[in-house]
Amino acid sequence: MCRRNGASSSVTVYGSLVQVGLPEGDTIGFTKRTGTVFDPEVGMEFLKLTYISTGGSYAMTDEDGNTVLFTRVTGTAAGKYFPTSVTVPGSNQTTTLGWEKVTVTGKEVVRPTRMMAPVQDGVNCTTLTRGCRALTFTYATTTTATGTAESAWGDYTGRVKEISFTAWDPDLATPAMRTVPMAR
């Protein structure tokens, strides 16, 4: 999204000011012009931010029509929104993202759980079935690392333990959904 600025990681609302956070830690500021339309900071005029009252979400669109939808994650603080879908214009292709709020070593953390590739009409991916393609993020529940030598490497509580890819595998003896670890 937003080819000039990379992906967006969150939206934070401060009254009539809205800040879109970028992964590198920078922000893009928007100020309320009317009830649901916001003006971007100088130099970012190619971006449009709109509040969607029916879903309680924000949509940011760039000059090419790429749109990121930001919604609240259950249990998170008021005024904080996370990207839940990215739509590319003209293709009817939407990538969706799932999030969770958890407490890790006494701190509240919001982290991604799944990224779902666009699906064809008529395919329901509530349960991953043929036509669904997903990256799933699994987090460590305990610390197993004991040192800095490679033999002592391990997991750290709350950090990514594994990223896996799930899709239909027609090459299995009995074709079915298959999950393959991509990174550990």
Side-chain angles (χ1 to χ4, degrees):
M1 166 69 194
C2 303
R3 64 182 161 85
R4 292 188 196 175
N5 292 302
S8 309
S9 62
S10 65
V11 163
T12 306
V13 180
Y14 303 98
S16 62
L17 173 66
V18 175
Q19 289 185 326
V20 176
L22 303 176
E24 310 83 37
D26 295 333
T27 60
I28 301 170
F30 290 82
T31 54
K32 188 182 279 190
R33 177 176 5 131
T34 65
T36 59
V37 178
F38 295 78
D39 289 327
E41 65 185 57
V42 174
M44 298 292 147
E45 291 83 4
F46 60 93
L47 296 173
K48 177 183 174 187
L49 184 71
T50 306
Y51 178 71
I52 304 167
S53 59
T54 55
S57 57
Y58 288 83
M60 185 171 71
T61 305
D62 68 13
E63 63 193 351
D64 295 327
N66 298 298
T67 302
V68 176
L69 183 68
F70 296 88
T71 57
R72 290 211 36 235
V73 173
T74 302
T76 58
K80 191 74 171 176
Y81 300 77
F82 296 88
T84 52
S85 71
V86 179
T87 305
V88 178
S91 66
N92 198 24
Q93 299 284 304
T94 300
T95 299
T96 59
L97 300 111
W99 297 83
E100 68 180 358
K101 181 188 124 188
V102 296
T103 301
V104 177
T105 60
K107 292 179 115 180
E108 288 188 357
V109 177
V110 178
R111 59 192 186 190
T113 55
R114 178 174 284 168
M115 178 183 285
M116 184 77 61
V119 296
Q120 296 177 352
D121 291 338
V123 176
N124 182 338
C125 293
T126 302
T127 300
L128 296 179
T129 61
R130 187 175 184 168
C132 302
R133 295 170 294 144
L135 286 177
T136 302
F137 302 86
T138 304
Y139 298 88
T141 56
T142 59
T143 297
T144 61
T146 58
T148 57
E150 188 173 346
S151 62
W153 292 353
D155 298 328
Y156 285 90
T157 302
R159 294 191 184 173
V160 174
K161 179 177 182 170
E162 179 178 281
I163 300 173
S164 58
F165 176 70
T166 303
W168 183 257
D169 188 347
D171 296 329
L172 292 174
T174 303
M177 295 300 286
R178 180 176 178 199
T179 299
V180 177
M182 303 301 290
R184 288 192 172 140

